[in-house]
Amino acid sequence: RRMEEAEARSAAADAYASQPVTTRDGRVLAVLANAGSVDEVERAIRSGADGIGLFRSEFLYMQRQDGFPDEQVQTAAYARAAELCGGRPLVIRTLDIGGDKSLPYYRFPEEENPFLGWRAIRVSLELRDMFRTQLRAILRASARGGVRVMFPMIVSLAELRDALALLEECKEELRRQEVPFDDRIPVGVMIETPAAVFMADELAAEVDFFSIGTNDLTQYVLAVDRGNRRIAAMYDTLHPAVVRAMRLTVDAAHRHGCEVGICGEFAGCVAHAELLVGLGFDELSVAPPSVPAVKERIRGLETPQAELTARRAVEAATASEVHELIGVG
Ligand code: PEP
Ligand code: MG
């Protein structure tokens, strides 16, 4: 009987999956999906996603053998993804390579701590021609509508400003070449490091949106390697330190009229929806198969109750208290 009930619930969730989602008391949220390829964008939209909250562009670089993808190849992929999104948001994250991700055609330096090393925006800001190529491709695809650009692993305003200046230069070039693009393309940063959390006010003043990457944020706040089985039990996004980091970030974003979402795997678990709604997130970006269930859960939530849960989680002294509070063992 329980299996039948679960199947009925899942069928009902699927039926409403592509409808916009509001809480019981009418607060509007967006449930988008994470995608690692153009095919995945298609699956995500079919699952009812309100758009793509994280398009991991590195797949384009990792699946090649013979060098960085050129502007043509990238423009085609991003434009196709934008077309599949049909005007819904498509958040393209610029290359997040390094750490545990390497490229067959590029020699990364040997590093003792790759996750604290040369990765993501640090690589892009150094390999500037490669970065320009990607920014130009994203801008060209933005002519289709819905495209947003997001920078990974930001730790300082200096990095953000450097990336923004390059984006402006690319816009200027395209203008001169009379290539169409969305001049008001929204720009965002991923909040994945403690530094970004503490600088959230300054960062929020200069961008349109934030997306918290809890996969990395958890690893960096707790100093627990996200891929190390030996300490996997310590890797806990419900640790009050991580919950407080989310609260600081959401509040800073909203003080500056900056939208804030979450795109770590944590958001895809229905049990976490109440906490996330209560913390004030505007959007959740989850793995495509989780879209219907997360939307269904949000439809059953009341904002005041969710806010109370979030307040208690922020005030909790231990991770077990937070687990108990939201009913996750
Ligand atoms: C994250 O860190 O939460 C994130 C979404 O980025 P990735 O998992 O690709 O590092
Ligand atoms: Mg990350």
Side-chain angles (χ1 to χ4, degrees), residues 161-177:
R161 288 180 176 163
D162 197 0
L164 288 173
L166 265 182
L167 184 68
E168 278 313 309
E169 282 177 28
C170 292
K171 283 184 174 183
E172 193 46 47
E173 258 170 35
L174 291 175
R175 251 181 237 117
R176 273 202 309 272
Q177 295 165 352

Side-chain angles (χ1 to χ4, degrees), residues 53-58 61 78 90-97 119-125 128 130-136 138-139 147-171 185-193 196 203 206-213 216 263:
L54 170 64
F55 185 72
R56 289 184 164 103
S57 67
E58 48 274 13
Y61 295 72
Y78 304 147
L90 167 68
V91 179
I92 303 177
R93 174 176 75 182
T94 63
L95 182 62
D96 184 0
I97 205 73
R119 64 169 293 202
I121 197 71
R122 299 170 187 182
V123 174
S124 296
L125 290 175
R128 293 174 96 79
M130 186 272 303
F131 195 27
R132 268 174 206 282
T133 303
Q134 179 168 40
L135 293 174
R136 280 179 57 100
I138 294 171
L139 285 168
V147 173
R148 305 178 183 192
V149 58
M150 175 163 80
F151 303 123
M153 282 288 297
I154 291 287
V155 296
S156 69
L157 207 49
E159 275 175 344
L160 172 63
R161 288 180 176 163
D162 197 0
L164 288 173
L166 265 182
L167 184 68
E168 278 313 309
E169 282 177 28
C170 292
K171 283 184 174 183
I185 182 173
V187 179
V189 294
M190 288 198 72
I191 304 293
E192 299 177 281
T193 62
L203 294 170
E206 305 202 11
V207 294
D208 303 296
F209 67 94
F210 279 170
S211 186
I212 302 187
D216 275 316
C263 62

Side-chain angles (χ1 to χ4, degrees), residues 1-14:
R1 183 169 46 74
R2 273 198 231 123
M3 278 174 68
E4 276 169 19
E5 282 170 6
E7 270 167 30
R9 265 202 309 277
S10 149
D14 285 349

Side-chain angles (χ1 to χ4, degrees), residues 29-46:
L29 273 106
V31 178
L32 303 100
N34 298 342
S37 66
V38 175
D39 288 345
E40 236 182 321
V41 171
E42 186 166 18
R43 277 200 292 280
I45 299 298
R46 251 194 283 121

Side-chain angles (χ1 to χ4, degrees), residues 258-325:
C258 171
E259 276 180 23
V260 58
I262 171 171
C263 62
E265 303 308 320
F266 182 82
C269 174
V270 288
H272 303 151
E274 182 175 33
L275 172 66
L276 297 174
V277 168
L279 285 172
F281 282 97
D282 304 299
E283 55 175 59
L284 315 186
S285 189
V286 305
S290 305
V291 169
V294 170
K295 281 194 167 182
E296 194 57 18
R297 177 73 187 117
I298 291 172
R299 290 192 182 101
L301 294 173
E302 298 273 2
T303 308
Q305 178 57 43
E307 285 175 348
L308 185 63
T309 301
R311 226 172 13 254
R312 288 191 177 142
V314 167
E315 285 163 7
T318 66
S320 349
E321 282 173 45
V322 184
H323 281 258
E324 229 166 83
L325 191 64

